[in-house]
Amino acid sequence: MHDTSVLIEARVRRFIKERLLPNVYLDRMPLTLASWDVPGEPVPFADAVGQVFEPFVVGMRWGRPWGTTWLRVTGTVPEAPGAELLFDLGFNAAEPGFQAEGTVYRLDGTIVKAVEPRNAHVPLDAAPGESFELYLEAAANPDVADGFRDFLPTPLGELETAGTDPLYTFACADIAVRDIAVWELLQDARVLVQLMAELPTGSPRRAEILRALERMVDTADPDDVSGSAADARAELVGVLSSPASASAHRIHAVGHAHIDSAWLWPVRETQRKIARTFSNVLSLQRETDFVFAASSAQQYAWLKRYQPELFSRVREAVASGRFVPTGGMWVESDTNLPGGEALARQFVRGKRFFIEEFGVEPLDVWLPDSFGYSAALPQIARAAGSRWMLTQKMSWNETNTMPHHTFFWEGIDGSRIFTHFPPVDTYSAQLTAAELARAERQYAEKGMANTSLVPFGYGDGGGGPNREMLAAATRLRDLEGSPTVTLSSPAEFFTAAEAEYPNPPVWSGEMYLEFHRGTYTSQARTKRGNRRSEHALREAELWATAAALRGGTYPYDELDGIWETVLLQQFHDILPGTSIGWVHREAERRYAEVLAATERIIATALEKVVGQGETALVVNAGPYAQDGASAMGIAAAVRREAEPATVVRRDGGFELSNEHLTVYIDGEGLLGSLIVRATGRDAIAPGEKGNLLQLHRDTPTQWDAWDIDEHYRRHVIDLTDVVSIEHSAHPTAAVVCVVRGRGATRITQTLTLAADAQALDIETTVDWHERQKLLKLTFPLDVHADHASSEIQFGHVRRPTHANTSWDMARFETVAHRWVHVGESGFGVAIANDATYGHDITRAPRAGGGTMTNLRLSLVRAAMYPDPDADQGEHTFRVSIRPDSSIADAVHEGYRLNLPTRTLVGADGFAPLVSVSSDAVVVEALKLAEDRSGDVIVRLYEAHGGRAAAKLSTSFEFDRVCETDLLEREVDAVALDGDDLTLRPFQLVTLRFAAPRLVG
């Protein structure tokens, strides 16, 4: 037989394009429109409907960037069944969620559904022959991504610079009757054409499908597609009825819409995107039975606040099992940058909301799009009661491919969580044959297991599933040549996967994303706001608890609100610094509000705790004794007996000295030596200079704010020119101030050696006006280290300093929280910081032989997309370098730098509410219980990476103490026996003290 397959395929494609698509809708009639442009920010429905509406017609330009236009829509329902409204707001080829979108309201203010690209129909409640009036809220959201064709600076990310010219031309507002037979034929044809494209050219199944499609075209009458559609469909019944093979991959398809809580749009737009997406889902579930999974308690909370009627419908759908809250977190947060307690609170606050509002507790961790996964997460998730985890982001690795799709993920403490990477490699599948074939082809567990999950529905900017996706799922349920497709839920999938694969392989440690390494540094003010807010909340809760035990009022509501702000801003496109400027300016304002609110709480609480008096007091919220005050205690200030540090001029620079250290700062303001006086050991490598600021070209191949590419290392300028260097007078400390300039950028560094300090403190203030540059602070250390220890949540990780393997090589920029430590036997160096996360730590040849360790902190970047003004202006970074240090010393330094003591006057000091006898056991949080019972909650962890035993004591009495999970529910005791604590390495423990009361 002659091969005419190419011609047949072309004929089928043309038939679909020219005959089926244009005939899906019959009898289109234009709607009558009138419009009102909102002069400022969006307004509620009740405000909009009372405005004066002007005549509006299709073809008119509308919508300034980020503007809102309300349209009154009127018409009459035709007599034929199946009528619905069709809108085209001026959609372009970009994905839904990245351009104009709208919401249709009934006259009573309830939402019908959204209007979006590829989901632009709206059902009608009115009967045939009845007139109707609806309102369309049209949002002129700009396509900031420009289709992700390039990453050029754009003014569209700030309301003030976006302009006022209309963005869109209104293209369609019709009422029409959907021809169900033609629509169903279109879905049949699409599925088969897609499936055929995935089959081998010589496959009998492919040929069978092709011939059936040819018969379909032959049978359909081009002059009467509607009348012949049923007969044309009959030609496809045979190929659509052929079942999948017994060994076909099994796919659980879960309806989903990944909605970024902010990104290329502001938070206020996300609040509307949620209503659009959720209303789409509820509308679609009236037609088709499927389960929709949605994460992020914050998004449900917004819906409850701004669209209570829609929220009540969602609650009903949750109760019926059709709408499933997933993830159990407040938002889909970043997991590299949030502190330990904050990451724990993501689960506490998120699960609490879902339990209180819906009576359900998600058991999965749902983080499909975060930029890598901290090795602390398995323990935190398990401590929150979670069993499973899902992500697909690791498929974005540039260098190495993760070896598993279903596995146990083991954290730093040994906790394991059952984890799945959907091999479809997307969280926004459309259930195409290509996607399903990719999932089957890439699935790494073949021969041991055969089941994967596919999240389907438009995401990022929302939208969710549409009816075409559900039609595909129906046809692909059991179809030869394809994986099988079961409409499912996360819990159904994970239960099936666990049963099928009870002993999967184990991945131990962090899941480092070999991509988006710039997220550790971009938008430094956002990152500083997060770090300061986390520590301010620790202080606020600690002292508010102390005040409550003295009869004060614990500010539950205010603390809840503050936490919700901080947790929201840990979303994986806010804290990492990858959103438009609008988002980051708002984040900075809200961090300022957080710090002001926590300061008020702290001041009020301390007034209650210390009383009225004139005694000078030192207030220490940290977990270690400091400045004469015990850990988490308040003590009378005592004059220090240590000799003041000294500073003398030497060799064109300055020598700083105290009883522990001698520091030489040369004439260029660089660290020539850092000598431990007790041993004479210099921490700076021979012939090298520390405190060196290095400026790199920073031009990523793509994804500007997200990425630091390895080639940045090839272009570097050492900033050694000095405007001035001088000694600054101080009564007890030795202080040197260095000023540098480069064009419009000015850098001021203050190096301080305190009287009794074992570390040198360096404060760097940068008035930053570079573009596409990366500023690093470098310390070449005379340490032969084969690994570096970096603090993460509730512990630390060890990473090689070499590049032996492709995995090591790809890990050229890493994240750390408050400290990093490098060492050799008998000597180490700790470098702590108060707001920096990005680091690179490598080995280099040492003068005189051997190797030294280059430890560099990434201070600030200057990406130009999506925020062309990212990081411009003033920043302050505080760093300490402590030689001759252990891991224990590094932990101390991290807390010292981030939780400095306060001074105030009052009547008396205050004994710590809780004390532990071992420095290895750190109290990370002390607060009152979430249920507002007044019980005291203490969260602590082992910080050094070894087994720890400690005595636990309290300054208050209580009825009983028990161990709990993060949600403060009692669990079996594993760490506490009486007042004895025994912790395994990095173990996290939460204690609940019932009925606490102060004595005396």
Side-chain angles (χ1 to χ4, degrees):
M1 185 172 67
H2 296 295
D3 183 4
T4 58
S5 58
V6 173
L7 294 176
I8 298 170
E9 288 175 17
R11 183 182 177 213
V12 170
R13 287 194 298 270
R14 184 173 183 185
F15 174 78
I16 291 171
K17 180 180 179 181
E18 296 183 7
R19 302 299 179 185
L20 292 186
L21 283 169
N23 285 287
V24 168
Y25 285 99
L26 307 171
D27 304 324
R28 296 174 74 120
M29 297 285 291
L31 297 164
T32 302
L33 305 175
S35 70
W36 172 65
D37 291 331
V38 181
E41 284 293 273
V43 300
F45 171 85
D47 293 349
V49 293
Q51 305 298 323
V52 176
F53 283 68
E54 302 292 338
F56 186 91
V57 296
V58 168
M60 291 180 67
R61 297 285 290 171
W62 72 280
R64 60 179 170 82
W66 304 114
T68 300
T69 297
W70 283 83
L71 292 121
R72 186 171 60 231
V73 180
T74 55
T76 302
V77 181
E79 295 296 335
E84 55 191 26
L85 305 185
L86 301 176
F87 293 98
D88 184 339
L89 308 183
F91 301 136
N92 58 41
E95 288 279 316
F98 293 91
Q99 54 178 297
E101 47 195 312
T103 312
V104 175
Y105 289 78
R106 302 179 183 88
L107 276 175
D108 62 1
T110 59
I111 292 176
V112 182
K113 72 176 288 287
V115 171
E116 298 175 298
R118 308 176 205 176
N119 195 355
H121 69 278
V122 178
L124 284 165
D125 298 331
E130 290 184 352
S131 60
F132 61 87
E133 179 178 338
L134 299 169
Y135 284 82
L136 170 61
E137 180 192 31
N141 298 334
D143 181 10
V144 176
D146 192 26
F148 295 103
R149 289 183 290 272
D150 51 42
F151 299 90
L152 297 176
T154 172
L156 293 172
E158 293 267 21
L159 190 61
E160 295 77 11
T161 60
T164 58
D165 292 340
L167 288 176
Y168 297 102
T169 299
F170 206 96
C172 171
D174 290 344
I175 186 168
V177 175
R178 180 166 63 120
D179 189 319
I180 300 299
V182 174
W183 184 86
E184 294 284 3
L185 176 60
L186 175 61
Q187 309 316 310
D188 291 344
R190 277 177 166 165
V191 165
L192 290 171
V193 167
Q194 291 174 5
L195 177 58
M196 184 174 63
E198 297 305 313
L199 297 172
T201 304
S203 161
R205 174 62 169 164
R206 178 173 177 143
E208 180 184 45
I209 293 172
L210 180 64
R211 293 302 175 181
L213 289 168
E214 183 181 34
R215 293 194 299 272
M216 171 197 73
V217 178
D218 287 342
T219 302
D221 183 349
D223 296 322
D224 185 14
V225 174
S226 178
S228 59
D231 291 337
R233 287 197 76 197
E235 298 295 339
L236 303 178
V237 169
V239 290
L240 285 170
S241 302
S242 184
S245 70
S247 62
H249 187 58
R250 294 183 291 272
I251 283 174
H252 286 242
V254 178
H256 181 51
H258 174 69
I259 306 176
D260 288 314
S261 293
W263 181 27
L264 302 181
W265 47 85
V267 166
R268 66 87 154 150
E269 196 55 38
T270 306
Q271 293 163 353
R272 298 200 291 180
K273 285 176 178 288
I274 295 155
R276 295 181 195 121
T277 299
F278 286 13
S279 64
N280 279 347
V281 170
L282 296 179
S283 178
L284 186 57
Q285 286 180 335
R286 294 172 64 183
E287 302 177 21
T288 309
D289 187 22
F290 72 101
V291 171
F292 179 75
S295 70
S296 304
Q298 170 70 89
Q299 298 186 0
Y300 292 82
W302 279 331
L303 193 71
K304 181 181 179 182
R305 177 178 178 183
Y306 297 112
Q307 297 290 350
E309 187 278 334
L310 182 57
F311 180 79
S312 69
R313 284 191 273 154
V314 168
R315 180 184 275 131
E316 292 173 2
V318 171
S320 72
R322 293 177 292 120
F323 207 110
V324 177
T326 58
M329 299 174 73
W330 189 244
V331 296
E332 289 184 15
S333 75
D334 182 81
T335 74
N336 289 312
L337 306 173
E341 186 60 22
L343 196 53
R345 297 297 178 95
Q346 287 285 352
F347 289 95
V348 172
R349 190 71 195 97
K351 288 200 172 192
R352 195 176 111 194
F353 181 91
F354 289 133
I355 291 169
E356 291 175 354
E357 295 294 340
F358 303 121
V360 299
E361 179 183 350
L363 298 181
D364 56 273
V365 181
W366 190 273
L367 291 171
D369 197 31
S370 299
F371 307 141
Y373 301 90
S374 165
L377 187 56
Q379 177 175 210
I380 295 171
R382 294 307 303 267
S386 299
R387 290 175 52 188
W388 311 305
M389 177 171 166
L390 177 140
T391 180
Q392 63 81 49
K393 198 66 176 184
M394 300 307 295
S395 67
W396 286 47
N397 272 4
E398 287 182 311
T399 305
N400 297 285
T401 300
M402 294 290 287
H404 314 301
H405 282 107
T406 301
F407 57 99
F408 277 127
W409 180 24
E410 182 179 280
I412 54 173
D413 76 309
S415 295
R416 292 181 177 182
I417 187 167
F418 190 86
T419 300
H420 181 65
F421 295 164
V424 71
D425 285 356
T426 180
Y427 48 74
S428 300
Q430 299 172 43
L431 295 183
T432 65
E435 290 169 338
L436 304 189
R438 181 170 67 244
E440 182 174 66
R441 182 174 61 251
Q442 296 188 164
Y443 185 64
E445 317 308 316
K446 293 184 185 76
M448 301 297 292
N450 199 25
T451 305
S452 72
L453 185 147
V454 172
F456 70 94
Y458 293 114
D460 289 323
N466 61 19
R467 56 193 180 192
E468 286 75 18
M469 297 175 195
L470 271 299
T474 300
R475 288 157 175 81
L476 292 164
R477 184 182 62 82
D478 187 13
L479 184 62
E480 183 185 357
S482 169
T484 63
V485 175
T486 301
L487 291 173
S488 187
S489 70
E492 288 171 342
F493 162 74
F494 277 112
T495 300
E498 279 185 319
E500 177 186 52
Y501 206 18
N503 296 300
V506 177
W507 179 272
S508 180
E510 71 179 331
M511 292 196 287
Y512 175 89
L513 182 64
E514 297 170 356
F515 205 42
H516 292 357
R517 303 166 182 91
T519 58
Y520 311 147
T521 304
S522 292
Q523 298 285 2
R525 274 182 289 270
T526 299
K527 290 174 169 60
R528 170 167 288 277
N530 175 73
R531 181 79 69 86
R532 297 278 59 76
S533 296
E534 289 177 343
H535 290 82
L537 275 161
R538 172 196 171 98
E539 289 194 75
E541 290 183 332
L542 170 64
W543 301 127
T545 301
L549 291 179
R550 286 206 161 178
T553 300
Y554 193 82
Y556 290 104
D557 291 338
E558 190 173 8
L559 284 169
D560 275 355
I562 295 169
W563 267 116
E564 288 176 7
T565 296
V566 172
L567 297 178
L568 164 62
Q569 297 188 166
Q570 291 175 344
F571 176 71
H572 67 254
D573 277 309
I574 302 179
L575 182 53
T578 54
S579 290
I580 56 175
W582 186 341
V583 173
H584 289 289
R585 302 312 152 258
E586 182 178 1
E588 291 162 21
R589 289 192 297 271
R590 299 200 71 186
Y591 281 130
E593 293 168 0
V594 163
L595 293 174
T598 51
E599 283 300 313
R600 288 193 299 271
I601 292 172
I602 292 166
T604 300
L606 287 175
E607 185 177 2
K608 182 71 175 179
V609 170
V610 304
Q612 299 294 317
E614 299 300 323
T615 302
L617 301 170
V618 175
V619 180
N620 178 19
Y624 298 113
Q626 190 177 177
D627 294 341
S630 57
M632 299 179 293
I634 303 173
V638 178
R639 182 181 297 274
R640 297 182 185 181
E641 298 299 327
E643 288 290 322
T646 62
V647 56
V648 297
R649 288 191 174 274
R650 191 193 108 196
D651 301 330
F654 296 92
E655 183 176 277
L656 288 59
S657 185
N658 68 6
E659 63 178 302
H660 301 294
L661 301 175
T662 297
V663 181
Y664 175 63
I665 301 167
D666 70 13
E668 294 181 320
L670 303 178
L671 200 55
S673 62
L674 177 61
I675 297 172
V676 180
R677 295 186 65 178
T679 62
R681 177 75 181 263
D682 192 349
I684 304 299
E688 302 291 336
K689 300 293 177 67
N691 190 42
L692 173 63
L693 290 161
Q694 295 184 295
L695 190 70
H696 290 269
R697 182 192 299 176
D698 187 14
T699 54
T701 304
Q702 55 182 335
W703 299 104
D704 286 27
W706 293 256
D707 288 355
I708 291 176
D709 289 349
E710 187 276 336
H711 57 72
Y712 87 91
R713 292 171 164 174
R714 304 172 200 164
H715 307 277
V716 61
I717 299 171
D718 292 345
L719 302 184
T720 57
D721 291 346
V722 174
V723 174
S724 66
I725 177 169
E726 57 189 25
H727 164 233
S728 298
H730 190 281
T732 61
V735 182
V736 172
C737 182
V738 183
V739 179
R740 308 182 191 278
R742 172 188 155 85
T745 295
R746 190 175 182 86
I747 303 173
T748 302
Q749 287 190 298
T750 303
L751 295 87
T752 302
L753 184 64
D756 57 353
Q758 294 176 283
L760 175 70
D761 289 347
I762 303 172
E763 179 180 277
T764 303
T765 298
V766 184
D767 188 7
W768 184 245
H769 297 285
E770 304 291 332
R771 302 284 184 179
Q772 295 184 308
K773 297 292 188 291
L774 167 63
L775 183 66
K776 282 184 171 272
L777 180 60
T778 303
F779 296 93
L781 303 174
D782 195 11
V783 175
H784 177 69
D786 63 355
H787 71 270
S789 298
S790 300
E791 189 193 33
I792 61 171
Q793 302 91 347
F794 302 123
H796 58 268
V797 292
R798 290 166 43 131
R799 303 182 180 105
T801 57
H802 56 69
N804 283 0
T805 71
S806 60
W807 298 86
D808 301 327
M809 179 274 292
R811 202 185 297 109
F812 58 80
E813 182 82 2
T814 58
V815 67
H817 284 197
R818 290 169 292 212
W819 57 266
V820 293
H821 180 272
V822 293
E824 59 188 43
S825 180
F827 187 84
V829 179
I831 294 183
N833 73 83
D834 78 333
T836 300
Y837 295 90
H839 296 73
D840 76 274
I841 305 169
T842 57
R843 299 200 292 184
R846 173 187 181 275
T851 62
M852 65 176 184
T853 302
N854 262 325
L855 196 158
R856 305 199 305 164
L857 298 89
S858 300
L859 299 185
V860 63
R861 301 184 66 209
M864 297 185 68
Y865 179 85
D867 176 11
D869 293 320
D871 283 316
Q872 298 300 297
E874 188 168 297
H875 306 268
T876 298
F877 307 93
R878 295 181 181 87
V879 169
S880 74
I881 176 169
R882 180 169 175 171
D884 197 19
S885 65
S886 62
I887 291 291
D889 297 326
V891 177
H892 275 260
E893 277 300 302
Y895 280 106
R896 178 184 72 85
L897 211 58
N898 284 273
L899 281 167
T901 58
R902 299 168 177 266
T903 58
L904 78 166
V905 295
D908 202 358
F910 185 79
L913 292 175
V914 172
S915 300
V916 289
S917 62
S918 169
D919 275 3
V921 180
V922 174
V923 175
E924 185 68 358
L926 196 157
K927 58 188 273 296
L928 292 191
E930 295 287 316
D931 62 9
R932 305 194 177 190
S933 61
D935 291 356
V936 168
I937 302 296
V938 176
R939 190 136 38 241
L940 44 82
Y941 70 101
E942 195 288 316
H944 296 171
R947 305 243 169 208
K951 289 288 186 181
L952 174 74
S953 59
T954 69
S955 62
F956 58 88
E957 293 183 346
F958 52 90
D959 286 355
R960 67 184 295 264
V961 59
C962 65
E963 292 182 39
T964 73
D965 65 7
L966 291 182
L967 274 66
E968 300 165 10
R969 302 172 295 201
E970 186 169 356
V971 297
D972 293 340
V974 295
L976 184 66
D977 182 8
D979 60 357
D980 290 322
L981 280 168
T982 305
L983 276 69
R984 65 179 186 271
F986 303 129
Q987 185 178 353
L988 174 64
V989 175
T990 303
L991 303 176
R992 181 172 187 141
F993 296 84
R997 54 206 177 269
L998 287 177
V999 181

